[in-house]
Amino acid sequence: MTSADLSIDSLIGELTTLGRISEAEPPVVTRVVFGEADRRARAYVKGLCADAGLTVTEDAIGNTFARWVGTDPHLGPIGTGSHIDAIPNAGLYDGCVGVLGGLEAIRTLQKLGFRPRRSIELVIFTAEEPTRFGIGCLGSRMMAGALGAEAARTLRDNEGRGLEELRQAAGFTGPLESIPLSAGRFAGFIELHIEQGPELERKGIDVGLVTHIAAPASVRILMEGEGGHAGATLMPGRRDALAAAAELILALENGARSTGAIDTVATVGVCEVFPGAVNSIPSRVRLETDIRDIEAARRDGVIAALHGACDEVQKRRGVKISWELVNADPPATCDPAILAALEASAKAAGRSYQMMVSRAYHDSLFMARVAPVAMLFIPCRGGISHRPDEYAAPEWIGAGVHVLARTLAHLAS
Ligand code: HGY
Ligand code: MN
Ligand code: MN
């Protein structure tokens, strides 16, 4: 197989078409799980899978499986895939390169007359992004049994709509208890993804072989102070919820910067202020924080320091502070045999490569709990992601699909 066997132009066309299925005006991609754009995007991708002759099934939360049945269908398949949901104000490539690139790898193998012994299965995970329910990797988390049906039923979005209502309205009505994968369901899983960092492009390396996936955590903090007239309420005695939040935002930033490790990162991506009027003292503020590190213990130290800061600010400012640890997941270590297969494919394909860690989390973080897993990164321009100017050049995507196709063929033989 050479890169000439790949149909990268048509793949770019599919990525562009998928990118236009958005809640926002192109080139901005916003596609929140169970929304109208998500449903249209699912239908589009399932149509492409059906056109490739794959057998398409969905589980009770919309994780989608498109199987190329192998000559020995009783063997555990080799999986590949990623997600197609997108956070607000995102780009074309996050997740979608892994789904449509995985499909292109399958179509290329089909075109070359390859017959897999193990089935090869493309997976489109539901809700990799935390946008709707505040927790990332919802679909793969449930597949791995890391989130049970009861806990999932308690999930609500910002409008108070529950998971049950939304998934059933989107046509997913099966029992949530049926989602966890049985042992050996996949003999291996590889996720192709943009790096979402600058390293590969800066070094001019074709692909990254991911050895570890960072450990993500998310904490929801609610501050309740006392509202009032911005002009008539004097400063002494104020219980301003946003001023309290500001102290915690800086405490979190300081906590991440002072671990001494470059791998510790922390972000407050959501800050909701009530009532949100310029001349009214904020009485209620909700913060959503994202805290990561490739070492879980170091990350947990930052979370503990933030918790301590909450206690101190609550006492000193008289603002009630409620704390909810949404998730604190362990990091994942990728499988040496899958990595070795990727390395051999990169060499055979004449592609430069390096081993690296993933600072972003991915569905592979949870697939690694139920199957041997590795990730395959391609460069993205300037390391930019989660922005409309996210970009991966066709030759970068081609290199990733080329190495992926070779590896799938090797593992499925
Ligand atoms: O946030 C992440 O790491 C992923 O892109 N959802
Ligand atoms: Mn993302
Ligand atoms: Mn992603």
Side-chain angles (χ1 to χ4, degrees):
M1 176 194 311
T2 68
S3 40
D5 296 315
L6 304 168
S7 310
I8 294 305
D9 290 349
S10 67
L11 169 56
I12 300 300
E14 291 165 354
L15 279 165
T16 308
T17 304
L18 180 54
R20 283 202 203 97
I21 304 176
S22 168
E23 295 161 36
E25 279 304 304
V28 178
V29 182
T30 299
R31 213 167 26 238
V32 181
V33 70
F34 300 143
E36 193 269 338
D38 178 47
R39 293 188 214 184
R40 281 192 294 125
R42 287 169 180 271
Y44 172 63
V45 176
K46 286 194 295 183
L48 294 177
C49 292
D51 294 348
L54 307 184
T55 309
V56 181
T57 56
E58 294 164 320
D59 73 9
I61 200 167
N63 291 309
T64 303
F65 307 87
R67 176 177 289 206
W68 180 14
V69 180
T71 54
D72 196 340
H74 306 296
L75 292 174
I78 299 296
T80 188
S82 192
H83 62 97
I84 59 172
D85 64 315
I87 68 168
N89 199 46
L92 281 188
Y93 304 90
D94 176 7
C96 300
V97 158
V99 172
L100 295 177
L103 177 58
E104 180 52 28
I106 290 171
R107 289 183 301 215
T108 303
L109 293 172
Q110 289 174 333
K111 203 168 44 183
L112 293 172
F114 174 74
R115 286 292 297 127
R117 181 163 156 259
R118 289 179 180 278
S119 300
I120 295 177
E121 196 154 3
L122 182 69
V123 184
I124 304 152
F125 296 98
T126 280
E128 189 272 351
E129 299 292 4
T131 314
R132 169 85 68 187
F133 297 110
I135 186 167
C137 300
L138 176 59
S140 52
R141 197 181 284 268
M142 293 193 76
M143 285 164 67
L147 180 76
E150 274 324 299
R153 287 192 186 96
T154 65
L155 295 175
R156 300 201 161 287
D157 69 6
N158 287 344
E159 278 79 57
R161 285 174 300 183
L163 172 70
E164 283 301 83
E165 173 202 339
L166 287 163
R167 75 171 179 111
Q168 301 200 18
F172 306 115
T173 54
L176 292 178
E177 290 75 6
S178 62
I179 293 171
L181 298 183
S182 51
R185 168 71 173 79
F186 283 99
F189 184 83
I190 300 171
E191 181 169 4
L192 172 66
H193 205 286
I194 53 171
E195 178 195 342
Q196 296 177 305
E199 203 170 334
L200 291 174
E201 183 195 28
R202 198 178 56 227
K203 293 180 175 175
I205 291 180
D206 293 331
V207 293
L209 309 185
V210 175
T211 57
H212 297 84
I213 303 170
S218 179
V219 180
R220 191 171 287 144
I221 304 174
L222 181 66
M223 270 115 322
E224 294 167 283
E226 187 177 12
H229 193 292
T233 313
L234 302 180
M235 293 312 281
R238 277 194 182 194
R239 292 191 295 120
D240 181 328
L242 187 52
E247 286 206 54
L248 294 180
I249 293 168
L250 290 175
L252 179 59
E253 183 188 51
N254 181 47
R257 286 181 188 279
S258 49
T259 65
I262 194 69
D263 297 315
T264 318
V265 290
T267 314
V268 177
V270 174
C271 176
E272 230 169 51
V273 181
F274 180 83
V278 66
N279 55 352
S280 173
I281 302 168
S283 56
R284 216 171 47 243
V285 171
R286 178 171 64 89
L287 298 181
E288 304 263 357
T289 73
D290 178 309
I291 307 161
R292 312 186 195 193
D293 195 313
I294 54 174
E295 268 188 34
R298 211 166 36 209
R299 177 206 62 199
D300 293 347
V302 174
I303 294 174
L306 178 66
H307 203 273
C310 287
D311 292 344
E312 195 278 325
V313 167
Q314 176 167 257
K315 278 193 204 84
R316 179 162 44 83
R317 286 181 169 269
V319 169
K320 182 171 175 285
I321 298 182
S322 316
W323 169 280
E324 182 193 353
L325 182 64
V326 176
N327 65 289
D329 306 306
T333 302
C334 293
D335 180 82
I338 306 278
L339 281 166
L342 282 166
E343 187 173 11
S345 299
K347 282 180 182 158
R351 302 292 183 174
S352 58
Y353 65 92
Q354 70 165 48
M355 301 295 177
M356 61 196 298
V357 302
S358 171
R359 301 188 186 288
Y361 61 73
H362 303 279
D363 291 304
S364 292
L365 180 70
F366 290 93
M367 286 302 284
R369 300 192 189 186
V370 289
V373 157
M375 290 191 74
L376 177 60
F377 274 175
I378 61 168
C380 55
R381 187 178 54 199
I384 290 167
S385 183
H386 283 188
R387 280 175 26 183
D389 52 341
E390 179 185 87
Y391 176 75
E395 57 274 22
W396 297 345
I397 296 173
V401 173
H402 186 184
V403 173
L404 176 65
R406 280 179 168 275
T407 310
L408 293 176
H410 170 71
L411 295 172
S413 296

